[in-house]
Amino acid sequence: DDTIPSHDLLKNLEASHFDAVIEGMVEATRTGTARPRGESRLRSNNLKDFSAAVKTGTIKVPTEKKLLNQGAEENHAWLIGFAPFDDPQVAFAAVLQHQPEGGSAASMAVSQALEWLEQHWGMEFGR
């Protein structure tokens, strides 16, 4: 079937392609969509404190599907990634439904999970 890409396409990717994508994923934790916003900025957990690479996403909840009171903005937020970015030891994915924030809400949950792994399993994520 000609519509399914061949695995041979992966052979055409160079290390610089991966490096550019990973650099963008790391930057999401520092200055991009995974950084805390609003009230989240007041919390201590923050993905920029970890050596992590992430991709976030946000889906706005349609008005008729909102669960929160008073018509507040609601989003389904997701985040995928790995840490530490230079020598990955753990991969993660988080989905939070009906959040007032977007990807930054999911980043707080992942920050807490990474902190837990450091405290309880002795893992290190390059703070």
Side-chain angles (χ1 to χ4, degrees):
D1 184 353
D2 291 337
T3 61
I4 299 173
S6 166
H7 289 285
D8 292 337
L9 291 176
L10 293 177
K11 293 177 184 174
N12 294 328
L13 294 176
E14 298 176 21
S16 63
H17 298 140
F18 290 104
D19 292 342
V21 170
I22 291 170
E23 183 178 329
M25 292 173 72
V26 169
E27 200 58 33
T29 67
R30 296 179 181 155
T31 62
T33 55
R35 73 184 189 283
R37 301 185 198 307
E39 291 181 26
S40 296
R41 276 188 269 173
L42 304 176
R43 299 183 194 134
S44 61
N45 294 44
N46 191 331
L47 268 181
K48 75 176 179 66
D49 296 333
F50 296 94
S51 173
V54 304
K55 175 65 181 113
T56 63
T58 304
I59 301 165
K60 291 187 186 261
V61 175
T63 303
E64 65 275 8
K65 303 273 186 178
K66 289 185 179 181
L67 297 178
L68 299 177
N69 294 328
Q70 302 165 342
E73 183 173 332
E74 290 185 40
N75 300 299
H76 298 322
W78 61 265
L79 179 141
I80 60 169
F82 54 91
F85 66 80
D86 56 349
D87 183 24
Q89 302 298 310
V90 64
F92 46 79
V95 177
L96 295 158
Q97 295 182 310
H98 300 284
Q99 299 294 308
E101 300 177 35
S104 62
S107 73
M108 295 302 293
V110 169
S111 294
Q112 291 171 355
L114 292 177
E115 188 171 283
W116 188 92
L117 287 170
E118 285 185 330
Q119 291 174 358
H120 294 89
W121 284 15
M123 300 179 89
E124 294 183 23
F125 299 112
R127 290 178 184 241

